[in-house]
Amino acid sequence: MTATENITFNVISADLKKVSADALVIGIGKGTDGPVILDSPLSASAVNSLKASLTALGVTGAADELVRLPGLPDTGAKVLVLAGVGKLSGTEITEESLRRATGSAIRQLAGLAHVVLALPTTAVTQVSAIAEGAALGGYQYASLHTNPNGRKAPVQKVTIYSALAKDPALAAALLRASVVARAVNATRTLVNEPPSRLYPATFADAAKDLAKGLPVKVTVMDEKRLLKDGYGGIMGVGQGSSRPPRLVKVEYKADKAVADLALVGKGITFDSGGISIKPGAGMITMKCDMAGAAAVLNTVLAVAGLGLPVNVTAWLCIAENMPSGTAIRPSDVLTMFGGKTVEVLNTDAEGRLVMADGLVAASAEQPDVIIDVATLTGAQVMALGHRTAGVMGDDGVVAALKAAADRSGELIWPMPLPEELRPSLDSPVADMANIGERMGGMMTAAVFLQEFIGKDDDGETIPWAHLDIAGPAFNEGSPYGYTPKQGTGMAVRTLVAYVEDVVARSR
Ligand code: BES
Ligand code: MN
Ligand code: ZN
């Protein structure tokens, strides 16, 4: 269960003639008056002749555009590649457009062994964005095809050309890029695994495997323990499946921690809908319903790998939602961890049931902040589409997550938590029903989760935010930028950046 990720990096500022490679990639921006050749180590005469032929070549500089030309005599590369970086906003090229352009190029150049990337860099963070984009774009799921012939091997070696090659801050920045990319790619692989291979017990095993060698403690609670301790949400959702549920606690304790962070992730290894079964088409992508748990797991591993001074505990709420003679029925009542009762009116609204248990368990340890991540609602996809996640919760946490997402290049957007939605979740027989107002259903689900956030010692509700990643966790369409088909690894980069910001603010 390992992603193909034996990509290696080095950064040079040497004469390009001396670097023999399969391809040299330069950037083309989409300027207001047509394509613009971005700064590169090519000679002025080479750039001039290239400029004269750009339009005839059909080059526009659009994102994901890739044009291959014979290598130039003043470089040691067999092929010159023109990679589109998209619209130029002023003269500065953003880190995210560098990440996407290099990710797209490395993805499309699969089959070549050694690629030199020569995009403009004036800051170390831009060099690391290029490295991150390349590591993300080079991702391939080690698929189950029996005939791998049609498949091109991912690029193995990437050389980044930059005048900052000798910058003392570079090594740490590149290490960060590779730790973060590894975490994102591992999240993708967990999501891509078919549910016949990745079910609650094997997901828990994978968490243990991935944590090996890191200062991270993984505790697996099996169905006997969950039953005994009263995890009625996770047990209820899992009771229709022949594969019993798990709650996995993943802990990283830092030296001199400046904060305690709890993460809770939805880990439905397959969501059939249960007795409220989904129509066939709606079920096709439902192996992705554990993407939140995979993201929070890999966030802890990345934070530990980087040695950041924040304690982070992830709670993976793992179950398979299946219909059967033992499954929960619409109108059954579950007693969640901590004692609240919930009437299940729709067994397909199962995410909020497993998350409720996880949020109560996380609250009991009184962390400074709780952030949960879940592929929670189809309404999220309706509201914000396939690429933008919704974020709801306390203003401070929401704002901090938005800022972290902006820096990391992930798209998230704040949505409200209207109080008036709460009565729609009232039940005549239990504390709450698991479904309420359908319109704005992403917010209804978040209002349900909010009820399970505990209080701190002073009686104040623990600061909390909820990320609904139903759309962006899984790419059903074609690959773009550094984003492959299927699992995307959504939320890992935002969460790591959030932790870094917590550290920076404490200094
Ligand atoms: N896992 C789904 C949400 C989902 C939909 C994730 C599409 C990714 C893509 C969730 O468990 C679900 O089925 N939600 C229901 C809730 C409804 C019954 C209130 C939904 O959104 O239809
Ligand atoms: Mn569901
Ligand atoms: Zn679900």
Side-chain angles (χ1 to χ4, degrees), residues 283-303:
M283 219 186 277
I284 289 176
T285 62
M286 282 303 127
K287 69 173 181 182
C288 85
D289 216 17
M290 34 57 69
V296 299
L297 161 65
N298 282 292
T299 298
V300 178
L301 303 182
V303 169

Side-chain angles (χ1 to χ4, degrees), residues 266 268 270-273 278 286 289-290 321 347-352 375-377:
K266 173 175 172 181
I268 301 297
F270 185 71
D271 182 11
S272 69
K278 286 180 185 296
M286 282 303 127
D289 216 17
M290 34 57 69
N321 188 23
T347 65
D348 197 13
E350 84 299 337
R352 61 197 77 184
T375 48
L376 204 62
T377 65

Side-chain angles (χ1 to χ4, degrees), residues 243-368:
R243 293 153 169 169
R246 296 286 183 268
L247 175 61
V248 179
K249 184 180 182 188
V250 184
E251 290 170 274
Y252 164 64
K253 294 253 186 293
D255 296 336
K256 307 204 183 87
V258 300
D260 276 297
L261 170 64
L263 302 173
V264 182
K266 173 175 172 181
I268 301 297
T269 57
F270 185 71
D271 182 11
S272 69
I275 295 295
S276 315
I277 197 161
K278 286 180 185 296
M283 219 186 277
I284 289 176
T285 62
M286 282 303 127
K287 69 173 181 182
C288 85
D289 216 17
M290 34 57 69
V296 299
L297 161 65
N298 282 292
T299 298
V300 178
L301 303 182
V303 169
L306 295 169
L308 296 173
V310 173
N311 294 336
V312 189
T313 300
W315 300 84
L316 321 186
C317 309
I318 309 177
E320 186 182 48
N321 188 23
M322 294 292 274
S324 78
T326 60
I328 42 169
R329 293 153 284 258
S331 76
D332 276 356
V333 172
L334 301 176
T335 301
M336 320 303 277
F337 186 59
K340 278 204 171 79
T341 55
V342 175
E343 184 187 16
V344 179
L345 292 178
N346 189 320
T347 65
D348 197 13
E350 84 299 337
R352 61 197 77 184
L353 300 172
V354 300
M355 294 297 279
D357 279 355
L359 291 169
V360 174
S363 296
E365 301 198 336
Q366 308 243 324
D368 300 314

